[in-house]
Amino acid sequence: MEDMSEAEQAMVFEWTRTAVDEAVVAGLIVPPWRPTAGQHEMLYGYYISGLTPAEAAQAAFGIRH
């Protein structure tokens, strides 16, 4: 992620923030939630894979079968 422009970093930050908001609304996490470095990387992976923030929230925080 270090090789991204400031604009790209801002876009990823906003997308990640929206994904976390989606997780809160869905009751998957409870604020205050602080992501680890690994969780940041996981969410970034969902971003570059093309998931929507809502899909990423379910993938990252939803019930796993």
Side-chain angles (χ1 to χ4, degrees):
M1 286 194 294
E2 294 87 29
D3 60 339
M4 292 190 307
S5 70
E6 286 186 31
E8 290 170 320
Q9 289 179 11
M11 199 163 38
V12 172
F13 177 79
E14 186 59 35
W15 183 94
T16 301
R17 191 173 168 143
T18 303
V20 170
D21 288 347
E22 292 280 348
V24 170
V25 169
L28 301 172
I29 59 173
V30 178
W33 178 79
R34 301 287 182 248
T36 64
Q39 290 166 323
H40 275 292
E41 288 295 321
M42 176 182 58
L43 290 170
Y44 178 66
Y46 293 147
Y47 171 80
I48 62 173
S49 296
L51 270 63
T52 66
E55 292 168 335
Q58 284 297 321
F61 307 108
I63 298 171
R64 294 185 169 89
H65 300 298

